Amino acid sequence: THLSIRLPGTDIYFTHPFGLLFEEVTASCLLKINLDGDVLEGQSNQTGEIIHETIYKQRPDVNAIFHIHSISGVAVSAMECGLLPMSQFAFHFYNRLAYHDYDSLALDEQRQGAKMAEDLGHKKAMFLRNHGTLTCGATLHEAFLYMHFLEQACKVQCAALVGGQKVILPSPDICEQAAQDMRN
């Protein structure tokens, strides 16, 4: 799990060091990294850098990225159906969600990082198949809200599918209207 925030208007972003619990992270231990991959302060986290760096390079509108590996997020990322529009949480992402196929650890910026940024496109949320979830935003607040809603949608889906129950999904027109209403 890694979170980052870009210093607006620059090619510098901050993230936390690998291996620390969130309650152990302080401002003084944050990594300061430029978009060339140079760690200006702190010790490197290669996979986190590749994911965040390539998205920031491709998306000047993005200033914050959250990538997590929650149980429910990984479970839905591994479902062939992806995220189903079965809850108000999920409607935020109706026809606005990207998917990226699993390709081991992100260690190669040219092959893996570029493909991930390409798959994200101009969307704000993505499932990394068999891996987890990623959200981004113009602000830290926006990236957090998308991650919160995506995590809740995954929890609802996992709970609803237990025991093989059939679920009721609204019509595509209602799902699109709900998505627009949620976003406005």
Side-chain angles (χ1 to χ4, degrees):
T1 296
H2 23 89
L3 320 173
S4 69
I5 186 162
R6 183 195 325 232
L7 190 58
T10 73
D11 286 342
I12 294 172
Y13 69 95
F14 297 90
T15 190
H16 56 85
F18 181 74
L20 291 182
L21 299 173
F22 286 125
E23 61 263 19
E24 298 173 319
V25 176
T26 63
S28 63
C29 75
L30 290 176
L31 305 177
K32 182 178 181 181
I33 305 168
N34 68 23
L35 296 187
D36 292 328
D38 301 319
V39 179
L40 306 175
E41 292 176 18
Q43 187 170 347
S44 174
N45 173 359
Q46 186 179 4
T47 61
E49 289 172 35
I50 287 173
I51 291 169
H52 296 260
E53 187 179 303
T54 54
I55 292 171
Y56 284 133
K57 282 182 182 177
Q58 298 298 315
R59 298 280 303 273
D61 63 309
V62 168
N63 289 310
I65 301 169
F66 284 27
H67 169 48
I68 68 171
H69 310 92
S70 70
I71 299 297
S72 55
V74 173
V76 174
S77 80
M79 293 178 184
E80 186 177 340
C81 62
L83 185 67
L84 296 171
M86 65 168 50
S87 71
Q88 195 157 291
F89 298 117
F91 296 141
H92 287 273
F93 307 101
Y94 185 74
N95 287 334
R96 292 157 177 84
L97 190 58
Y99 290 86
H100 173 74
D101 289 335
Y102 187 75
D103 188 16
S104 191
L105 295 177
L107 299 172
D108 183 320
E109 182 178 351
Q110 296 304 312
R111 182 174 59 85
Q112 295 167 305
K115 177 69 173 135
M116 190 177 297
E118 177 185 321
D119 288 345
L120 179 62
H122 291 288
K123 295 185 169 116
K124 300 281 180 106
M126 179 166 65
F127 277 101
L128 287 67
R129 292 283 192 190
N130 311 96
H131 183 136
T133 55
L134 183 143
T135 61
C136 58
T139 65
L140 191 63
H141 182 253
E142 182 181 27
F144 171 81
L145 281 177
Y146 285 135
M147 185 56 74
H148 173 73
F149 293 136
L150 187 56
E151 180 64 16
Q152 296 307 309
C154 290
K155 286 178 181 179
V156 168
Q157 182 165 320
C158 288
L161 296 179
V162 168
Q165 291 293 316
K166 290 190 178 198
V167 296
I168 298 168
L169 301 179
S171 72
D173 290 343
I174 295 297
C175 291
E176 181 57 38
Q177 182 63 52
Q180 290 177 25
D181 291 346
M182 298 289 172
R183 297 247 172 179
N184 290 333

